[in-house]
Amino acid sequence: MTSTKEFALDARDPLVRTATTRRVGLALAMFLAPWLIVGAEVGHAVTTLHGGDDLEPSGDLALTGEHLTLDRWASLAALAGALLLVPAVLGVMRLVRVRAARLGLVGGVLTAAAYVCYFAMVFQGFTTAAMVKAGGSTSQNVTVLQAVLDEPLTRWVYLLFVLGNLLGTFLLGLALVRAHTANRLAGFGLMAWPVFHAISFPFSDVIGTAVQAIGFGLAAMALLRRRDPRTEPEPYELLRR
């Protein structure tokens, strides 16, 4: 048997400080990133409140022209949220690395890849805002935007985003439920996003991302409660003793 003294925490230990800093940093990303996505979805819901959509270049130009300031700030929130969601996903993967490691790995990689793609898609949207501010021929602007969408070398970005955003998030939440390392509601919160997105009713995406943000928050609280892995052995280590 290993004595309790061997696992005593020493705040002066550089490895302990590093592990604590990493854990706190990941938890902060888990708290903040999803709510930035909620803010972006609120902005998008407001711009489409009276109809229209941004799936086609003509509709995107029209909505951006009507809500230019809101669109730009919502896009900024989406960029920051997408960037921070990568470490947020790593935080969830840290929670599921033993009891649901394979499922968490697949779901985490897909989800992180989806938000990398989302960052690229949102950043591309600032081109639309620039076209609206510069004016010019609407038909020519539509032609340019459509050409960007039809570029064969980048179509995989949109496909990977859809796959990771829906399937990846669901699998990551399922891994969190199966791992039993956080409140089960955390996993169900992550799994709720693709469900709300698929249902598609007014403000469904806002509700879905808010529920997802709560799930990430519960997972972050569980991550903060975890001790340093060197001082708290994993289950398989306990079996060996």
Side-chain angles (χ1 to χ4, degrees):
M1 294 293 293
T2 304
S3 66
T4 305
K5 184 178 180 181
E6 182 179 337
F7 292 110
L9 283 172
D10 185 355
R12 295 170 299 179
D13 189 334
L15 294 178
V16 173
R17 293 201 305 269
T18 300
T20 301
T21 301
R22 182 188 302 115
R23 186 172 64 252
V24 172
L26 293 176
L28 287 175
M30 293 163 73
F31 279 122
L32 180 59
W35 288 108
L36 287 169
I37 299 298
V38 172
E41 289 296 340
V42 169
H44 181 265
V46 171
T47 60
T48 58
L49 189 60
H50 301 293
D53 62 67
D54 56 0
L55 299 179
E56 297 293 334
S58 57
D60 190 17
L61 280 168
L63 289 175
T64 302
E66 294 174 6
H67 309 277
L68 181 58
T69 300
L70 178 59
D71 180 80
R72 293 175 72 245
W73 282 103
S75 296
L76 179 61
L79 286 176
L83 193 64
L84 288 175
L85 261 164
V86 175
V89 169
L90 292 178
V92 176
M93 294 173 69
R94 190 176 179 84
L95 282 172
V96 304
R97 66 180 181 176
V98 174
R99 297 184 180 179
R102 293 178 182 175
L103 187 60
L105 177 63
V106 174
V109 169
L110 284 175
T111 303
Y115 280 102
V116 171
C117 294
Y118 183 56
F119 184 96
M121 292 163 58
V122 174
F123 191 83
Q124 178 181 294
F126 278 93
T127 301
T128 306
M131 287 178 170
V132 170
K133 291 176 65 176
S137 171
T138 301
S139 60
Q140 184 176 6
N141 290 339
V142 168
T143 300
V144 172
L145 293 176
Q146 188 62 54
V148 172
L149 291 176
D150 293 338
E151 170 56 56
L153 295 181
T154 58
R155 286 183 181 176
W156 62 270
V157 173
Y158 306 98
L159 297 176
L160 181 56
F161 166 71
V162 172
L163 179 65
N165 194 36
L166 300 180
L167 179 60
T169 305
F170 186 88
L171 293 179
L172 187 62
L174 182 60
L176 196 55
V177 171
R178 293 183 56 186
H180 301 291
T181 52
N183 191 313
R184 290 169 66 89
L185 292 177
F188 289 129
L190 268 64
M191 295 166 67
W193 156 245
V195 175
F196 276 98
H197 183 70
I199 294 174
S200 187
F201 58 88
F203 287 91
S204 62
D205 284 353
V206 175
I207 298 173
T209 51
V211 175
Q212 178 181 248
I214 294 172
F216 268 105
L218 292 173
M221 293 172 62
L223 183 63
L224 288 174
R225 288 194 297 266
R226 287 176 64 89
R227 298 171 62 189
D228 185 88
R230 297 182 309 133
T231 64
E232 183 180 4
E234 299 290 1
Y236 67 87
E237 294 175 333
L238 291 172
L239 292 175
R240 293 167 53 188
R241 296 186 184 140

